[in-house]
Amino acid sequence: MTSTRAISTKSLFALWALMTLCLSATAQSNYYKLGIGGGYGFTQAFTDLLDQDFSKAIYGQAEFFFSPFVSIGAEIQQGKIKSGNSSDDPLARAFVNDYTLTGLNAKLYLGAVTDHRSGRLLDALKWLYLGSGAAIIRNKISHKNELEDDIYLGKSKSRELVLPLNLGFSYYFNDRAGMPRLGINANIQVNFSLGEGLDGYDRSNVTFKEDVPDRYHFYSAGLRYLFGPTGLSKRSLN
């Protein structure tokens, strides 16, 4: 009798261990650690000038994923920022900035802080992310309707620090191995400039104080491609 109970206990323990192993295995997923992407979008200027005009820009980026939902990456943007209208501005100011931005940023996806398997909505939003970082923007300004006695006229070429904030969403299609591979992305980026070079006009030498930081928004859409070495996540991606 004692022997039968011992065998039964061992069998139950073995069954429990097997079930735990299976559940643990199904809860894990592999993911690619490297990603590249690029796209196209529109910039909008928010500077000392009255108008918030739109222009165009392109971007490229590379990412390293510490986990499926936490990444750090590098980005480069190139395009135009413009604003101004001679009929609206009291000093007839207008500018076009042929800019280049290079920077680093980190992203935290919603899937890192929620259990996306608990509902369809959370699963659909698991690739929603917030991001932030630091960048250097190289400004190349062309002033339009330039007045010789414009006391606000600044430098036509400058470099300054920019603090970008990102809100975006990616949707990935799995490859044959069941891992996210090819994705589409939409992103809103707000870039705060820590200088007066974004529009080429500087009021600080007249007002003797810094104005509200100039900024520009970048609304973009693009593609993502994940590849390279794989990692193991303790959380399922499906």
Side-chain angles (χ1 to χ4, degrees):
M1 188 72 172
T2 303
S3 177
T4 303
R5 287 181 178 177
I7 294 174
S8 178
T9 301
K10 290 181 179 179
S11 299
L12 289 174
F13 178 78
L15 181 60
W16 173 82
L18 181 61
M19 290 178 63
T20 301
L21 182 63
C22 290
L23 289 174
S24 176
T26 56
Q28 294 179 343
S29 292
N30 289 318
Y31 66 94
Y32 295 107
K33 291 187 173 183
L34 301 178
I36 56 174
Y40 176 86
F42 298 92
T43 62
Q44 185 179 18
F46 293 86
T47 66
D48 297 328
L49 280 66
L50 296 177
D51 291 344
Q52 289 90 43
D53 291 347
F54 288 92
S55 196
K56 302 173 184 178
I58 58 174
Y59 76 94
Q61 68 172 33
E63 287 183 278
F64 176 83
F65 287 85
F66 296 100
S67 75
F69 301 115
V70 178
S71 72
I72 187 170
E75 180 179 8
I76 182 169
Q77 286 178 28
Q78 201 164 36
K80 295 181 184 295
I81 304 168
K82 67 178 183 179
S83 184
N85 189 312
S86 59
S87 61
D88 295 336
D89 191 274
L91 295 176
R93 294 175 299 175
F95 77 94
V96 176
N97 184 351
D98 289 288
Y99 80 98
T100 301
L101 178 141
T102 54
L104 299 175
N105 60 79
K107 295 188 179 76
L108 178 67
Y109 292 81
L110 187 62
V113 295
T114 62
D115 183 4
H116 59 84
R117 294 172 298 170
S118 62
R120 291 185 178 181
L121 179 60
L122 287 177
D123 183 61
L125 296 177
K126 63 188 176 184
W127 298 111
L128 181 72
Y129 62 82
L130 289 173
S132 183
I136 297 294
I137 187 169
R138 294 190 291 273
N139 303 302
K140 184 179 179 182
I141 305 293
S142 300
H143 291 101
K144 296 182 178 180
N145 306 317
E146 184 177 319
L147 302 178
E148 293 183 1
D149 59 346
D150 191 345
I151 58 176
Y152 298 135
L153 193 62
K155 298 178 180 178
S156 60
K157 292 184 179 181
S158 63
R159 294 186 183 185
E160 55 197 31
L161 182 65
V162 169
L163 301 180
L165 296 176
N166 290 286
L167 172 64
F169 177 76
S170 295
Y171 183 85
Y172 286 99
F173 299 93
N174 290 346
D175 61 10
R176 292 183 179 180
M179 293 187 288
R181 171 74 83 170
L182 181 64
I184 54 177
N185 173 266
N187 190 82
I188 299 174
Q189 185 180 79
V190 181
N191 293 281
F192 294 93
S193 173
L194 302 185
E196 295 292 338
L198 197 63
D199 58 4
Y201 294 101
D202 186 359
R203 289 161 44 94
S204 61
N205 61 337
V206 178
T207 61
F208 300 104
K209 64 180 181 179
E210 294 293 333
D211 292 325
V212 176
D214 292 338
R215 73 182 194 273
Y216 77 93
H217 297 184
F218 182 39
Y219 314 100
S220 65
L223 298 176
R224 298 287 186 270
Y225 183 76
L226 305 181
F227 65 101
T230 59
L232 182 63
S233 171
K234 295 182 179 180
R235 306 177 67 177
S236 173
L237 300 182
N238 301 312

